Amino acid sequence: MVVSDLSEGFSSGDEGGDGDELLAEPMRGVRNGALPPFVNKLYNVVCNKETDSIISWVPNLDISDGAKSFAIWNIDEFINNVLPLMSKSKNFDSFITQLNNYGFKKMSWDCREYAHEWFQEGKPHLLKNVKRRRKQTISESEKLHREIKRFENASKEQDNELNVFKAYIDNTISNQKRILQTMARAIKSTIDHHHQVRKMHGVENNNDATQNSTLAGQQSHKRKVLSESSFAPSCEIQAEDKSAKNTTENN
C-alpha cells in the first residue's frame, strides 16, 4: 500500500484543478503516488520546457551531469501563471515555506535559486529521499535548559549595556570636572589680574598724592618767603616817612 504525504500546505484542498495536468504522465523511476504531492508537482513544473522563461533548472558547469538546482526567473509570472498549477492559492510565502519544510536551500541572493541534494535534473528516482522535516520533540529539561540559556544571554546583554552606560557616565563626569577646573582657573586668573591692576593704581595714586603734597609745600614756602621779604622794606619805608613827617611838624 502506497501512502502519499497529504499533510502539507499544498495538499488536500490545494491540490487538484489545473495542477493535475502536470501529472498526466507518470514519472519514470518513481512509483506513481509514492511522492509527496508538493515534490512531485514541483519537479514536473521545473522540467516543463514551456515554463523555462519563468522557472527552470540552472545549467550545471559539469556538462556530463544534470542540473542540481532550479531558479525562479520571473516572480510575477510564477505567482500568476505557474503557482496556480501547483495550488489553488497564489500565496508565494506558503510556497517558500514548503521549500523550507522539505529542506531546500537558497543558493543565491541575486536570483531565487534553490537546491536539494536529492532534487536533480534527470534523476527522478532520487526524489524518494526528499522528506518533509518532522518537528522535533523537545523534552522539558531541554526547554528548561534553553530558557536558562536565554536568560543568561539576556543578562549578559544587560550587563554589557550597564557597563557601556557606566563608562558613558564616568566619562561625562570626568569631562565636567575638567571644565569646572578650567573655569575655576580662569576666574582665579581674572581676579588676580584685577587685584594687581588695583594695586598698581593704588601705588600710582599714592605717588601722585605725595607729589601733590610736596608741590603744595614748596609753593607755600615760596609764598611765605616772598611775603616776608616784601614786608620788611615796606615797614622801613613807612617808618622813615613817619619820622620825616614828625620832624616837619615840630619845625
Side-chain angles (χ1 to χ4, degrees):
M1 178 178 179
V2 178
V3 180
S4 298
D5 183 359
L6 299 179
S7 61
E8 55 186 294
F10 274 66
S11 59
S12 298
D14 285 345
E15 299 205 9
D18 296 337
D20 291 338
E21 296 178 1
L22 297 175
L23 303 178
E25 297 183 2
M27 200 176 297
R28 294 182 179 180
V30 178
R31 294 177 58 188
N32 189 24
L35 293 176
F38 174 79
V39 177
N40 193 5
K41 290 185 178 183
L42 177 62
Y43 194 84
N44 279 279
V45 165
V46 175
C47 291
N48 188 0
K49 297 299 183 181
E50 296 180 359
T51 58
D52 277 354
S53 61
I54 302 173
I55 179 173
S56 69
W57 295 104
V58 176
N60 192 357
L61 297 178
D62 186 0
I63 302 177
S64 62
D65 201 359
K68 296 183 179 180
S69 64
F70 70 92
I72 301 173
W73 309 110
N74 190 321
I75 183 66
D76 293 330
E77 288 292 329
F78 178 80
I79 292 174
N80 293 323
N81 299 324
V82 177
L83 196 55
L85 301 178
M86 303 178 61
S87 168
K88 291 181 180 180
S89 171
K90 292 184 178 181
N91 192 331
F92 185 73
D93 291 337
S94 296
F95 172 77
I96 298 300
T97 299
Q98 287 296 86
L99 289 178
N100 293 330
N101 288 341
Y102 282 96
F104 285 83
K105 297 180 181 180
K106 190 169 186 178
M107 305 303 295
S108 172
W109 291 102
D110 297 332
C111 63
R112 294 185 178 274
E113 180 182 353
Y114 303 91
H116 191 291
E117 60 178 329
W118 305 115
F119 195 89
Q120 301 180 23
E121 183 182 16
K123 300 178 181 180
H125 60 282
L126 299 179
L127 295 176
K128 61 183 179 181
N129 298 312
V130 181
K131 304 293 184 181
R132 183 183 177 89
R133 291 177 175 176
R134 298 184 181 276
K135 294 182 179 180
Q136 296 180 351
T137 303
I138 303 176
S139 63
E140 291 298 327
S141 60
E142 181 66 19
K143 290 181 180 179
L144 181 60
H145 178 73
R146 290 186 180 183
E147 282 296 314
I148 294 175
K149 194 68 176 178
R150 185 173 66 85
F151 281 120
E152 288 178 351
N153 293 335
S155 178
K156 289 180 180 179
E157 291 179 359
Q158 290 179 354
D159 290 341
N160 291 334
E161 291 178 357
L162 288 175
N163 291 333
V164 171
F165 182 71
K166 183 178 181 300
Y168 169 76
I169 294 297
D170 292 341
N171 186 45
T172 301
I173 293 175
S174 179
N175 290 336
Q176 292 295 331
K177 286 182 178 179
R178 284 196 295 269
I179 292 173
L180 291 175
Q181 290 174 355
T182 302
M183 291 177 64
R185 286 194 295 268
I187 293 173
K188 184 177 182 302
S189 177
T190 302
I191 293 174
D192 293 342
H193 177 71
H194 181 67
H195 287 166
Q196 291 178 357
V197 171
R198 290 187 61 183
K199 186 176 180 180
M200 292 176 63
H201 281 298
V203 171
E204 291 177 356
N205 291 335
N206 290 334
N207 292 335
D208 292 342
T210 302
Q211 292 176 359
N212 292 334
S213 177
T214 302
L215 290 174
Q218 292 176 353
Q219 291 177 357
S220 176
H221 178 71
K222 287 181 179 180
R223 284 196 299 269
K224 183 178 180 180
V225 172
L226 289 175
S227 62
E228 291 178 351
S229 60
S230 61
F231 176 76
S234 174
C235 291
E236 292 177 356
I237 293 172
Q238 289 180 0
E240 290 178 355
D241 291 342
K242 186 175 180 181
S243 177
K245 184 177 180 181
N246 291 331
T247 302
T248 303
E249 289 178 353
N250 292 326
N251 293 329

